[in-house]
Amino acid sequence: MASGGIATLMYLLIALNILAAAASLALFAVAIWVAVDANKLYAISAVSGKDDIFAGAWIAIFTGFAFFLTCLFGIYAALKRSRRLMLVYLFLMFIIFLFECASAITAATNRDYLVGNSNLVKKQMLQYYADDSSKGKQITDTWNRVMQEDKCCGADGPTDWLTFNSTYKAIYPGSYPWPSNCCEKLSNAEVKDPIGCNDGGSTLFRKGCFQYIESVLSRYTWAISWYGFAVLMLVFFMLLLAMVYYIQLD
Amino acid sequence: MPCVILSARHLQGFIPLWILFMRNKMFSCYRMKTNVVIRLVLLLTVCTYAVKTQTATPVLTPADLQAKITTNTVILKQPHCYFNVTCPACELWLVPALSSATSTFDADRTNINILSLSPYPSAFGPLFKNYFLTKVGLLSAFPCSASSDSLYFKVGENGNCTTINCNGILPTGSVDRFKYVLVNGSSIINETNWSDNITLYTPQNPESIYDGLSARSAAMIVITTILSVAAGLLLLLFFIMLCLFCCRKKDSKPITVKSSTPITVNSSTPITVNSPTPITVNSSTPITVESSEHIPHYDTHLINRKHPYDNHAYELERKK
């Protein structure tokens, strides 16, 4: 290959490395956002043992930052026109590529387990809401917050509490058919209309909470898996180019 | 005689208009005698009056409530306008009964102690009467004019109570029927029909919910397959690249240049030949090396002689 060709290849490789460094830094930031879990729905995935969406986020934090550093190293290796440095660069990038693949695939798969349909979330709610164990307390706090924030009741609706037995019904047998957080509350946390809510009137929240939970967990998953996938596709083509450059070096 | 038989409900409240309409219809279809028409009108008025007091049926509240039917309570429409009598001391009572016990109540209805015959705490069970009576309110509290869909009466409001006529909860998951009765003193003077069967919720065990994987989403399949293929491809190409360069490095054979024609090497820059193995140049034709730089020329015609610089002219004198 003529020396002009190698120079073009080198500049192209450097440009792609800069782009990949920026993209992987963004992946690092997005993964931190998912791991922080602003909507505090971690308990719902943790209690059922399917919290790999957040595990995928943690892996993506490390791989995002590692991609960034390795791309900077790749710029140096390309400028130096050194075979050895290019080989080290290719090897490191490949290892990080594998880890990032794992992160993207894990997040996407676990989302299907959690929110493919409302059964898992509903069963968890019926078994753990108002339970005294640590799992129960986590679930109770999460559901109380979700029901008041999103103005919803139950997984598919208030009838979930009627159609199934639940720990809540076992612990509070003579009380309302549904938890008091299903009702509109005043600013001092008292139920606005206890009798009306008990009878299922207009102060009871009618819609199910599953839509909200599903949308939040899906948003986290798509951030990790689809964006990770995009970064990986860019890195894949960049590595092909780097291999060609390595071959052309003398 | 084509007399359109309308049901009781249609007749209520529209009697004057209805009479006029029927009269006109009679005149348009047939030339009837007036006295027959008057007889018809009287008959229908009597029918309407009788319908009002007997065919009311308790129904579920039409209001938009989520807890109309729960596992052990029911919400019914309030009994406005069910009994068209004036009776200041009369009270409205409700009879909730299992659908299998309606005949038991109908048989006991005329008993003098009907109000306490089946107290609530011992009402339900395989050997018991499976109905009870509970007070709804005074008849005067439910006038026709106050009838509204948003007013309701909740059966089971008092929970698992202990008094004889309390508004207690029904058995979980049972099928029940309801009847409003008009009570004067301690005897029943009028009643509505039995309501339709109302089935309460039977709560299921949450363990029965299947929470395994429902289906794999398309996104997950796309991501997994494409990434696996990409990683595998990268690994393959990486190995090919490494193999390519390991092989090229060990390739160092001795350089052999053979030619039957004269070899000419011209260069404007200095020619450097490096080789790890000895360089052998064989030629049957004279080898000429021309260069613009000075090549030292060594005299080689006497190279096979042992002492090339001895002068033989002085040899004879040495021997003398």
Side-chain angles (χ1 to χ4, degrees):
Chain A
M1 192 186 241
S3 61
I6 280 212
T8 323
L9 202 55
M10 182 184 80
Y11 289 131
L12 192 59
L13 203 58
I14 289 174
L16 278 179
N17 265 311
I18 292 174
L19 191 62
S24 51
L25 208 57
L27 177 67
F28 171 70
V30 159
I32 287 183
W33 168 70
V34 173
V36 161
D37 186 20
N39 294 90
K40 302 218 179 350
L41 289 184
Y42 178 71
I44 290 185
S45 50
V47 162
S48 53
K50 308 246 186 303
D51 62 346
D52 284 342
I53 297 177
F54 298 95
W58 278 105
I59 297 176
I61 292 179
F62 290 113
T63 57
F65 197 63
F67 263 145
F68 172 69
L69 293 178
T70 316
C71 286
L72 293 183
F73 173 70
I75 294 174
Y76 174 70
L79 279 172
K80 266 278 181 172
R81 297 194 188 213
S82 154
R83 267 240 165 113
R84 267 200 194 160
L85 291 182
M86 280 305 289
L87 194 62
V88 169
Y89 165 74
L90 281 170
F91 185 67
L92 280 177
M93 284 297 261
F94 182 67
I95 303 265
I96 303 170
F97 188 95
L98 285 181
F99 276 100
E100 180 55 38
C101 274
S103 157
I105 293 175
T106 299
T109 311
N110 266 266
R111 178 208 163 267
D112 286 350
Y113 275 110
L114 271 179
V115 290
N117 59 17
S118 65
N119 284 354
L120 187 134
V121 165
K122 189 192 297 193
K123 184 171 181 174
Q124 204 183 64
M125 175 190 80
L126 292 167
Q127 287 181 325
Y128 288 108
Y129 189 89
D131 192 16
D132 236 348
S133 59
S134 69
K135 282 189 183 182
K137 290 202 183 91
Q138 285 179 326
I139 291 285
T140 310
D141 287 338
T142 308
W143 272 94
N144 281 341
R145 196 187 38 255
V146 167
M147 287 197 284
Q148 282 294 304
E149 264 176 23
D150 193 49
K151 301 200 179 357
C152 56
C153 182
D156 290 325
T159 45
D160 287 346
W161 297 103
L162 301 174
T163 330
F164 293 96
N165 273 324
S166 54
T167 310
Y168 169 76
K169 207 180 270 188
I171 293 181
Y172 304 107
S175 175
Y176 293 5
W178 29 70
S180 62
N181 275 283
C182 281
C183 310
E184 252 180 72
K185 285 191 170 179
L186 301 169
S187 52
N188 62 354
E190 276 178 16
V191 179
K192 186 174 169 187
D193 180 12
I195 296 175
C197 187
N198 191 11
D199 295 338
S202 57
T203 54
L204 173 74
F205 301 134
R206 300 283 176 99
K207 67 175 177 172
C209 295
F210 176 66
Q211 280 280 62
Y212 171 77
I213 294 173
E214 191 260 337
S215 73
V216 168
L217 288 176
S218 291
R219 214 181 316 150
Y220 289 166
T221 307
W222 300 150
I224 300 294
S225 58
W226 277 121
Y227 185 60
F229 177 78
V231 170
L232 283 173
M233 285 295 104
L234 172 67
V235 165
F236 176 74
F237 288 110
M238 188 178 72
L239 289 181
L240 289 184
L241 213 65
M243 284 190 215
V244 170
Y245 182 68
Y246 176 82
I247 292 173
Q248 299 302 330
L249 276 181
D250 42 29
Chain B
M1 186 151 67
C3 171
V4 177
I5 310 280
L6 300 173
S7 74
R9 289 197 184 90
H10 294 136
L11 287 175
Q12 274 180 352
F14 285 94
I15 295 156
L17 285 167
W18 195 91
I19 292 170
L20 250 126
F21 170 71
M22 276 310 291
R23 249 181 95 207
N24 289 337
K25 194 162 188 204
M26 287 284 121
F27 279 136
S28 64
C29 294
Y30 300 87
R31 301 280 172 216
M32 302 298 283
K33 290 183 185 168
T34 320
N35 60 348
V36 176
V37 171
I38 294 170
R39 254 187 265 155
L40 174 70
V41 162
L42 280 171
L43 175 70
L44 288 163
T45 317
V46 165
C47 287
T48 315
Y49 180 77
V51 151
K52 236 188 191 165
T53 55
Q54 274 178 359
T55 55
T57 312
V59 288
L60 281 179
T61 175
D64 186 20
L65 297 171
Q66 287 287 307
K68 277 190 220 192
I69 304 177
T70 68
T71 52
N72 51 18
T73 64
V74 170
I75 297 184
L76 298 173
K77 187 173 176 192
Q78 278 191 356
H80 290 277
C81 226
Y82 279 23
F83 302 103
N84 192 14
V85 287
T86 324
C87 174
C90 288
E91 296 169 340
L92 274 169
W93 285 58
L94 177 70
V95 184
L98 293 189
S99 57
S100 55
T102 53
S103 49
T104 319
F105 174 76
D106 287 335
D108 289 344
R109 186 175 162 268
T110 47
N111 194 313
I112 285 188
N113 299 317
I114 183 63
L115 293 182
S116 52
L117 200 60
S118 173
Y120 171 75
S122 64
F124 293 103
L127 300 172
F128 300 132
K129 290 189 180 290
N130 290 315
Y131 67 83
F132 65 96
L133 280 93
T134 182
K135 183 173 170 179
V136 180
L138 286 173
L139 180 63
S140 51
F142 300 101
C144 271
S145 52
S147 176
S148 161
D149 281 352
S150 60
L151 296 171
Y152 56 86
F153 178 70
K154 185 166 181 177
V155 184
E157 203 163 347
N158 296 137
N160 210 352
C161 50
T162 50
T163 54
I164 295 176
N165 295 118
C166 64
N167 193 353
I169 51 176
L170 303 161
T172 304
S174 54
V175 181
D176 304 301
R177 300 179 85 172
F178 301 89
K179 179 188 276 231
Y180 284 109
V181 291
L182 197 60
V183 167
N184 194 354
S186 64
S187 58
I188 298 177
I189 57 173
N190 214 333
E191 62 181 12
T192 64
N193 291 335
W194 282 107
S195 69
D196 295 329
N197 278 346
I198 295 177
T199 314
L200 302 180
Y201 280 102
T202 314
Q204 298 163 39
N205 191 350
E207 304 281 337
S208 66
I209 302 176
Y210 175 65
D211 60 349
L213 184 66
S214 58
R216 298 205 180 273
S217 62
M220 173 251 158
I221 292 178
V222 163
I223 289 174
T224 311
T225 50
I226 295 183
L227 285 183
S228 311
V229 166
L233 215 63
L234 260 185
L235 192 63
L236 194 69
L237 291 172
F238 199 58
F239 277 131
I240 290 175
M241 185 189 78
L242 284 177
C243 282
L244 230 61
F245 284 99
C246 289
C247 299
R248 276 196 199 174
K249 255 191 182 168
K250 289 172 193 165
D251 217 6
S252 46
K253 298 183 288 187
I255 303 168
T256 315
V257 181
K258 288 186 183 160
S259 170
S260 49
T261 59
I263 300 171
T264 316
V265 180
N266 284 331
S267 168
S268 54
T269 59
I271 300 173
T272 316
V273 179
N274 284 330
S275 170
T277 55
I279 301 171
T280 316
V281 181
N282 284 330
S283 170
S284 46
T285 58
I287 299 170
T288 317
V289 178
E290 286 180 3
S291 173
S292 49
E293 298 216 4
H294 173 70
I295 301 175
H297 177 75
Y298 297 100
D299 184 8
T300 55
H301 74 283
L302 294 171
I303 197 128
N304 288 324
R305 288 184 70 172
K306 281 185 185 171
H307 305 286
Y309 293 107
D310 286 349
N311 191 345
H312 291 285
Y314 289 100
E315 242 187 14
L316 291 167
E317 274 222 342
R318 274 184 61 220
K319 277 180 186 172
K320 270 185 194 174

